[in-house]
Amino acid sequence: MRIFLLVLTIAFSLLMFAVCYIWAETNTISQFTDIFKSFYGGVPVLSSTIFSIGKLWYIAPALCLIMAVAGFIKKKFNSLVLLSTLFSISGFLIMLYAMYPLHLMLSNSVI
């Protein structure tokens, strides 16, 4: 079970790192804010907050990987591996939701 959780953490941490790279090294955030402004008249607060973190998002996947490896090496820290898996999955989902706020898209029939 710990190996499965470690693999999940690595996969979602790599996805988070990829999104961080796209956000930090390209003009994707400005494109998303332009789209939000054209559709909704402004940027949603959650998206604006998440986008404003910028390059500090690189810390999140690194911490998840460190926690997972530390929990995997020390067998008595099984909960640390589970916690890092939950953090990496939820972090990626939050980043994904910041780009596509479904509550706004569904309420305005824009998909």
Side-chain angles (χ1 to χ4, degrees), residues 23-93:
W23 283 359
E25 307 304 327
T26 64
N27 62 350
T28 305
I29 291 178
S30 64
Q31 291 175 354
F32 273 109
T33 55
D34 291 342
I35 290 171
F36 288 146
K37 288 177 184 175
S38 68
F39 280 136
Y40 312 117
V43 181
V45 176
L46 179 67
S47 297
S48 175
T49 304
I50 291 172
F51 291 157
S52 69
I53 294 172
K55 290 187 177 187
L56 290 176
W57 270 106
Y58 282 121
I59 296 171
L63 286 177
C64 289
L65 288 174
I66 290 169
M67 283 175 30
V69 170
F72 187 76
I73 291 173
K74 302 279 188 181
K75 292 184 180 182
K76 60 183 176 181
F77 294 125
N78 286 334
S79 61
L80 194 59
V81 177
L82 178 62
L83 191 63
S84 65
T85 304
L86 293 175
F87 281 159
S88 63
I89 291 172
S90 62
F92 176 70
L93 290 177

